[in-house]
């Protein structure tokens, strides 16, 4: 969708290496999220941000860290990639809480393979 | 946290047949959202329901929120090949978690022409 982009779209990396995924939005939304999607598990929340430098853990945060130094950018870092982190990663944004009838907008995803 | 259970996991239909997916919670939900994800794509927001007994329609899609706000359904009339994908229900937790979206595991729909 227009307004949110993820990079890279695909990445293959070796076990033990650090990896950073980027999410960029042009909507000036306060809330940003990182999800991972795996067969049989649906989408699971990794970390989220409710403002610049305000982040918190989600359901599956172990092995991941995030940073948000600007409203438009939300970075997800795998400090030392493992094969269990092979997945498709989606970033999402949503309007502020006053716009409660709007859904989340997802990026196109990053397919990460750890070998 | 609150979980939403979605059934069935898979559904195979002949084009023109109807399709329904169900989403159930053990506790009352303040809202329910539905998303569609095409193969190889990303989830796309379809609709949000917030009122007890609410029914909304989008062309061949009918969305319902149960009277007790513990279940929801998505019904597609006369499926087409363009309906192929995975349909997710999700619940927005506006409580202590800043409005995080909690997903069901989805129903994967395949349509045979």
């Amino acid at each position: 969708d227009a307004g949110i982009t993820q990079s890279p779209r695909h990445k293959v990396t070796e076990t033990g290496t650090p990896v950073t995924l980027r999410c960029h939005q042009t909507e000036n939304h306060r809330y940003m999220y990182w999800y991972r999607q795996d067969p049989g598990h649906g989408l699971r929340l990794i970390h989220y941000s409710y403002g610049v430098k305000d982040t918190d853990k989600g359901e599956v945060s172990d092995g991941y860290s995030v940073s948000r130094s600007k409203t438009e950018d939300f970075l997800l870092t795998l400090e030392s990639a493992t094969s269990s982190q092979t997945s498709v990663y989606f970033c999402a944004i949503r309007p502020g809480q006053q716009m409660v009838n709007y859904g989340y907008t997802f990026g196109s995803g990053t397919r990460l393979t750890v070998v | 946290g609150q979980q939403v259970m979605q059934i069935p996991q898979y559904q195979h239909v002949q084009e023109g047949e109807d399709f329904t997916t169900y989403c159930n919670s053990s506790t009352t939900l303040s809202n329910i959202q539905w998303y569609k994800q095409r193969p190889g794509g990303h989830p796309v927001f379809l609709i949000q329901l917030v009122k007890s007994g609410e029914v909304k329609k989008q062309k061949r899609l009918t969305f319902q929120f149960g009277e007790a706000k513990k279940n929801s359904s998505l019904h597609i009339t006369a499926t087409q090949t363009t309906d192929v994908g995975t349909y997710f229900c999700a619940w927005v937790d506006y409580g202590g978690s800043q409005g995080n979206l909690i997903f069901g595991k989805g129903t994967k729909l395949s349509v045979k022409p």
Side-chain angles (χ1 to χ4, degrees), chain B residues 38-57:
Chain B
R38 288 198 162 95
H42 57 277
V44 175
F45 173 71
L46 295 176
I47 209 157
Q48 174 168 283
L49 305 171
V50 297
K51 298 178 182 176
S52 170
E54 189 170 14
V55 178
K56 289 188 177 181
K57 293 190 176 184

Side-chain angles (χ1 to χ4, degrees), chain A residues 14-18 79-82 114:
Chain A
E14 292 186 350
T15 299
T17 60
E79 302 291 346
S80 178
T82 68
V114 183

Side-chain angles (χ1 to χ4, degrees), chain B residues 27-79:
Chain B
T27 57
T28 301
L29 301 172
S30 58
N31 61 83
I32 197 87
Q33 293 188 357
W34 286 92
Y35 290 78
K36 177 184 178 181
Q37 184 178 22
R38 288 198 162 95
H42 57 277
V44 175
F45 173 71
L46 295 176
I47 209 157
Q48 174 168 283
L49 305 171
V50 297
K51 298 178 182 176
S52 170
E54 189 170 14
V55 178
K56 289 188 177 181
K57 293 190 176 184
Q58 290 179 352
K59 296 183 180 178
R60 294 179 295 104
L61 278 60
T62 301
F63 304 85
Q64 293 188 320
F65 202 10
E67 293 289 343
K69 300 180 75 173
K70 290 184 177 182
N71 56 74
S72 181
S73 65
L74 159 59
H75 179 82
I76 301 178
T77 303
T79 54

Side-chain angles (χ1 to χ4, degrees), chain B:
Chain B
Q2 245 173 319
Q3 298 294 321
V4 286
M5 307 302 293
Q6 199 171 348
I7 55 170
Q9 189 174 0
Y10 301 96
Q11 186 79 56
H12 310 282
V13 300
Q14 191 79 33
E15 188 173 21
E17 292 180 339
D18 291 356
F19 159 76
T20 304
T21 174
Y22 301 90
C23 190
N24 299 299
S25 170
S26 58
T27 57
T28 301
L29 301 172
S30 58
N31 61 83
I32 197 87
Q33 293 188 357
W34 286 92
Y35 290 78
K36 177 184 178 181
Q37 184 178 22
R38 288 198 162 95
H42 57 277
V44 175
F45 173 71
L46 295 176
I47 209 157
Q48 174 168 283
L49 305 171
V50 297
K51 298 178 182 176
S52 170
E54 189 170 14
V55 178
K56 289 188 177 181
K57 293 190 176 184
Q58 290 179 352
K59 296 183 180 178
R60 294 179 295 104
L61 278 60
T62 301
F63 304 85
Q64 293 188 320
F65 202 10
E67 293 289 343
K69 300 180 75 173
K70 290 184 177 182
N71 56 74
S72 181
S73 65
L74 159 59
H75 179 82
I76 301 178
T77 303
T79 54
Q80 301 174 359
T81 55
T82 54
D83 295 324
V84 164
T86 301
Y87 293 85
F88 293 95
C89 65
W91 167 71
V92 183
D93 179 6
Y94 285 112
S97 58
Q98 300 280 348
N100 295 340
L101 195 59
I102 312 299
F103 280 88
K105 293 188 178 181
T107 296
K108 187 173 183 179
L109 172 65
S110 63
V111 179
K112 188 175 181 181

